[in-house]
Amino acid sequence: MASTPRSTRAQSAGRVAVESRASRRQDAVTVAIGLWLIGGLFSDGWAHHNVPELEGFFTLWHGVLYFGLLLAGAWFAWLGRVGGRRWYRHVPTGYGWGVVGIGVFAAGGLADMAWHLAFGVEAGIDALLSPSHLVLFTGGLLILTSAVRSRWGAGDIASPVAMGALALVTALVSFFLLYVSEFTANAPTIAFRALPEGHPEHTASELPATAGLGGFLITTALLVVPLVWTWQRGRAPRGLLTTLVALTSWLAAAVVDLDRAAVFGAAGATLGAIVGEFALDWLENRHLPRRLRVPALAAAAIIPTWTLHMASLAVGVGLAWPVELWSGAVIVSGLAAAALGGLAVSALPPPVNDAAARLEGPVRVADGQG
């Protein structure tokens, strides 16, 4: 009998740990810390791109980034403070993988320091693909998705907090895809030489355009995936498309030191996203069939974004691509967005007919009893 109260207390503690959920305000603090981490990450990217004399691990930009890690660790520990020294077992629902992410990020930081000391500082595409930086990416992804998982678990995917958390995750992924991003390449402004098939330099002449088309498709997927993820769960919050486009495009422009083409490209894409918001509202009010809704929304989000991106580049810098190439890039991106939406919808289970379920339920029970 003496062991019963202890057992009861343990069971109660277990229930509290399982049912603990962060409030929207607490998730907002997590998003604010995530914003610091993203700011530190992109400022470090700017330094790698624009400061040729950058040497060593101990830099101002690394200091900003790793201070964000300290903030995240302190905040997560405070959220799990009920567990004392074992705070990591008592963080709110959705934050468990974030705790793992803090450890992974810290390990990546130590590995990054050793990497810089051994091999020096990267200054190009190698900076985004070095193993230590990919470990940092993994840890950061686990940390930043904590608020997303928390809001998702609370059934709150339309709040500004959920939208901000999802935008920061997208920004993190966009940073590690900068080498294939249209927002840094602005490929339609790069000269295109059309050489006939069989010419010795035919393949080399088309490489910039080929890479540019790939950049459009990859950036399209980057923007569409979080939108589709939200549309599968309901109506996306108004402004999500604009937030994703503005954040990823302007941060990319900042990394290349606000290059003229990057600025005009980001401005056009942001304006296009605003236009896309009206298209999304119009389509949502049409009550499209379930299988058609998400593909149509995806195409409607991307086509205005890239159309005004092209128009802005044409006005501010000038397009070097022929009309077939730049118009085709917009159309292919729209088709790719619709295809991603279609794939996502096809993976969903079929809707349940509530009336049929109510009728079938008692019959199945009766059959089992008989």
Side-chain angles (χ1 to χ4, degrees), residues 355-370:
R358 285 195 298 270
L359 290 173
E360 289 180 2
V363 173
R364 289 178 178 173
V365 173
D367 288 344
Q369 289 176 346

Side-chain angles (χ1 to χ4, degrees), residues 68-222:
L69 174 65
L70 291 177
L71 287 176
W75 174 240
F76 280 33
W78 189 87
L79 289 176
R81 65 192 182 282
V82 68
R85 292 183 178 180
R86 297 190 174 185
W87 59 269
Y88 48 86
R89 293 187 177 182
H90 296 265
V91 292
T93 301
Y95 280 74
W97 281 110
V99 173
V100 175
I102 289 172
V104 171
F105 200 99
L110 294 174
D112 193 38
M113 179 176 65
W115 191 273
H116 283 312
L117 293 175
F119 302 106
V121 178
E122 308 91 342
I125 188 174
D126 51 341
L128 294 173
L129 295 173
S130 72
S132 60
H133 285 174
L134 294 178
V135 173
L136 289 172
F137 165 71
T138 303
L141 191 64
L142 293 173
I143 294 170
L144 292 179
T145 50
S146 297
V148 176
R149 288 188 296 271
S150 177
R151 290 294 90 207
W152 183 14
D156 177 28
I157 64 169
S159 68
V161 175
M163 185 167 66
L166 194 57
L168 290 180
V169 173
T170 306
L172 174 66
V173 177
S174 77
F175 179 84
F176 283 87
L177 292 176
L178 283 176
Y179 56 95
V180 286
S181 172
E182 166 56 18
F183 293 131
T184 52
N186 296 291
T189 65
I190 300 173
F192 172 73
R193 286 196 308 156
L195 297 178
E197 296 281 353
H199 191 283
E201 296 184 9
H202 170 77
T203 301
S205 69
E206 290 191 342
L207 277 178
T210 302
L213 289 170
F216 270 100
L217 293 174
I218 291 173
T219 309
T220 293
L222 173 74

Side-chain angles (χ1 to χ4, degrees), residues 194-261:
L195 297 178
E197 296 281 353
H199 191 283
E201 296 184 9
H202 170 77
T203 301
S205 69
E206 290 191 342
L207 277 178
T210 302
L213 289 170
F216 270 100
L217 293 174
I218 291 173
T219 309
T220 293
L222 173 74
L223 298 171
V224 165
V225 167
L227 289 168
V228 168
W229 182 88
T230 307
W231 289 327
Q232 284 180 307
R233 291 155 179 81
R235 184 164 181 160
R238 185 173 297 169
L240 178 58
L241 171 62
T242 305
T243 302
L244 294 174
V245 172
L247 191 63
T248 54
S249 63
W250 285 104
L251 284 174
V255 168
V256 295
D257 210 21
L258 297 179
D259 173 80
R260 181 180 176 87

